[in-house]
Structure formats: C-alpha cells, structure tokens
Amino acid sequence: MSGGNNALAPYRRLTVKIGSALLVDGQTGKLRTQWLRALASDIAALKAEGRDIVIVSSGAIALGRRLLKLDAIALTLEQSQAAASAGQIALSQAWAETLGEHGIITGQILITPNITEERRYYLNARTTVTTLLSLGAVPIINENDSVATAEIRYGDNDRLSARVATMIEADCLVLLSDIDGLYTAPPSKDPSATHLSEVAAITPAIEAMAGGAASHLSRGGMTTKVEAGKIATQAGTAMIIAKGTADHPLKALVEGGKHTLFHPVQSRAQARKRWIMGTLEVAGSLEVDAGAARALMTGKSLLPIGVTRVRGEFSRGDAVSILDPNGHEVARGLAGLDSDEANLVKGKKSAVVIELLGIGNRAELVHRDNMVLLLGAEAATR
Ligand code: GLU
C-alpha cells in the first residue's frame, strides 16, 4: 500500500484500536464479517510492507450479550462481565479465522490496569507482545473485562489502547471509530464545528473541543480519545483518529483519507529516559567492573559476568543504579532479574547464567533498551 498522502507512511509499529460499533452490527448484534475481512486484508498489506500491527479490539460485551440473550436490556456489571466472557471467545475466534485467511497467526492478551502499573507484569506483557511480533503474529488485545473490578477497570478501550501503544513503543496509535477526527466542537451539537486535520499539542482548548471534562456519559466518546491522545503523545507516540465504519479503513488512511493527527510532544527515547530517570525510585545498585562499564558506554546491555556486587533488594522491573569500580553512577536502568537471582549469577558467564536460571533469552541483567547512560559517565570510564 502506498500513496502521496499516506498517513501511515512514517510509522513502523502501529497499534490499531477498533471500537465495538465497527465490529458488531448495532441492529442485529452480529459480527460485521465483510468489514472484518476487508480490514484483515488491509492489515495483511501493511504487514507485508514490514510493519508491526497490534490490535486492541473491543466487541466482547457487544457479541456476548447476544449470545447470552441479553440484547434487549441494560446490563448490570455482573451481566456485562458475563457477556464479555462469552463474547471474548467469539471475538478471538473471528480475529483468528479472518487473519488466518491471510496466513497470519493471532495471539490473545487480556489486560487489566494492574498490568500496566506493576512493572513486572508490564514487562512480561510487553515481552509477550514483542515476541509475538517478532514471530510474525498479530497480538489481539482487550481488557480482561470478566475479572476486572470496578475500581481497576479501564472501562474504555481508548485509554487501554494508548497504554498498550506506549508499552510496546508503537510509533502510532490509530483509533478507528464512528467519527473522522476531532472537531472544534461536538458536531452533533454545533453545526458550525470544523474538522482539525492536525493537533500539535493537547492544550486545555483542545480538551474543551472534545466536550469538556470526562464523565460517566463520555465513555468511548471524544473525551476518552483525547485522554488517550495525552497518554500516547506524552510518551512519544503519534495518534490518529479516523472513521472506520466503511470497508478498508486502514487502506483509506494509506490513500490519504480524512483524519486528525495528534503529534507526539517528545521522542519515545526522551520519554523513556525521563520515565526511568524521573519517575522511578532506585531500589538497589549493581557494581560493575571496568570492562563492563566501558561496554555500557558503547551501547551494550549489562551482562551478569561484568557485575561484581549487588546491593539492595529489588524485583525484576525495578530501577537500579549501575556503579563503576570507583562507585560512580554511570547508568540507571530497569533490572532484568530479581536481586536474589542477580546475586546468584553475578560474575558468571552467560552459558552458566542460562543453566542457573533456565531462561535463555533473559540473560541480561539490564537490557540496553531499559538503560539510561548518565552524562559525563563516559569520561569517568576512560
Ligand atoms: N472491552 C470492552 C469490550 O470488548 C469494550 C470497551 C470499549 O469499547 O471501550 O466489549
């Protein structure tokens, strides 16, 4: 897929959020099969160009309520959780079959907010998604509606998709919905409202255009989309809102279709560094030998063999300081192992580490993607 005004051209990793109203016919409660097949061919074409695609799909509750013959009533929380449970099976099956027609394997991941807040779960979810991508699969993600309690529910997949996009460092989040972007006012209320093709930053004025502060009525409306935009753009991920109701909605974007683009306010690397340096408290430290300190400065990950001492108690995913033999902090990063595991494997060769821990692909103590080198540290290691 290509074209002069291709809105997706700059992006290599896309998270695409699909609303219930697109997947499920509001009248019959049935899956919009033809639409899904058309979307699957768009996804296959984007993948063939080397793009990673992660889908955040709604529709479990909408499908499940028909299966459980709950269509005609307003659902209680218990009933929607039951509907989500029944509908999720149908939803996953539809995705697996439809993408399967293009030879694409799908993997299902159900997320609760705990996963994005607790770093160990966060890292595991991220690793599963990126591993699926590296194996050529398309991860299909939804909220784990059947078990999420009211307090920890996202409640809407707009914000969930933004968390997922930032978690996997997607460079763009595409929200496919029933409206083709942001207008200067809700067009249903104000006929003079005009469409915005780009938003440089989400200011209070932009939030006001979306219809003011979030409320229980705005679930899935423009407010949660702008909320999603804040999460994404702060973390260095662009966001596109486009209308997805007609067939081939991604192809339409490739061909220059109408949409609103929200620009990221900082790069993903900057956002990640800020997060590691600014948000996280350091839970322990790793002292490394001179060779390892030099290797870090050339962009290498920290392997157990270079570690001489482990201080503090930390869990995988906690922030740790990395100290050179003189005790100077040269880097900070997220630990790839718990402190007791780190103690067990420090100073050991990778082959021995793999034997000891039995997890071949997680032999790094701090992966370079999860590490920030400190300014001036390079001079100190010379
Ligand atoms: N997770 C819900 C479902 O699959 C949808 C939530 C939303 O669309 O925002 O039915």
Side-chain angles (χ1 to χ4, degrees), residues 17 20 57-62 91 142-143 145 155-158 219:
K17 185 258 168 177
S20 300
S57 176
S58 302
I61 296 173
L91 187 61
N142 196 359
E143 182 167 8
D145 290 308
D156 67 81
N157 277 2
D158 291 330
R219 179 174 162 236

Side-chain angles (χ1 to χ4, degrees), residues 17-21 23 56-64 80 83-84 87-88 91 141-145 153-160 219-221 224-225:
K17 185 258 168 177
I18 295 156
S20 300
L23 269 163
V56 175
S57 176
S58 302
I61 296 173
L63 285 174
S80 20
Q88 186 62 39
L91 187 61
I141 299 178
N142 196 359
E143 182 167 8
N144 198 348
D145 290 308
R153 286 187 78 204
Y154 277 103
D156 67 81
N157 277 2
D158 291 330
R159 284 175 299 176
L160 172 68
R219 179 174 162 236
T224 58
K225 289 180 179 46

Side-chain angles (χ1 to χ4, degrees), residues 119 266 269-282 319-320 329 331-334 370-374:
R119 278 190 300 287
Q266 57 183 342
Q270 280 167 338
R272 193 159 178 75
K273 284 185 181 182
R274 285 210 182 128
W275 179 62
I276 292 173
M277 292 305 295
T279 322
L280 302 177
E281 245 174 73
V282 172
V320 290
E329 187 180 30
R332 202 176 281 185
L334 306 181
N370 296 327
M371 197 188 307
V372 182
L373 300 175
L374 300 185

Side-chain angles (χ1 to χ4, degrees), residues 248-329:
H248 296 292
L250 293 175
K251 188 160 173 251
L253 280 173
V254 167
E255 289 168 355
K258 199 171 176 185
H259 64 275
T260 302
L261 168 65
F262 294 76
H263 290 276
V265 295
Q266 57 183 342
S267 74
R268 283 196 310 290
Q270 280 167 338
R272 193 159 178 75
K273 284 185 181 182
R274 285 210 182 128
W275 179 62
I276 292 173
M277 292 305 295
T279 322
L280 302 177
E281 245 174 73
V282 172
S285 64
L286 302 168
E287 215 169 278
V288 304
D289 62 27
R294 271 194 304 274
L296 298 185
M297 294 307 132
T298 65
K300 299 265 170 27
S301 296
L302 178 60
L303 299 175
I305 192 160
V307 176
T308 51
R309 191 164 171 189
V310 178
R311 288 210 194 89
E313 267 184 40
F314 50 84
S315 301
R316 177 171 130 77
D318 282 345
V320 290
S321 286
I322 301 173
L323 310 174
D324 71 7
N326 303 318
H328 294 129
E329 187 180 30

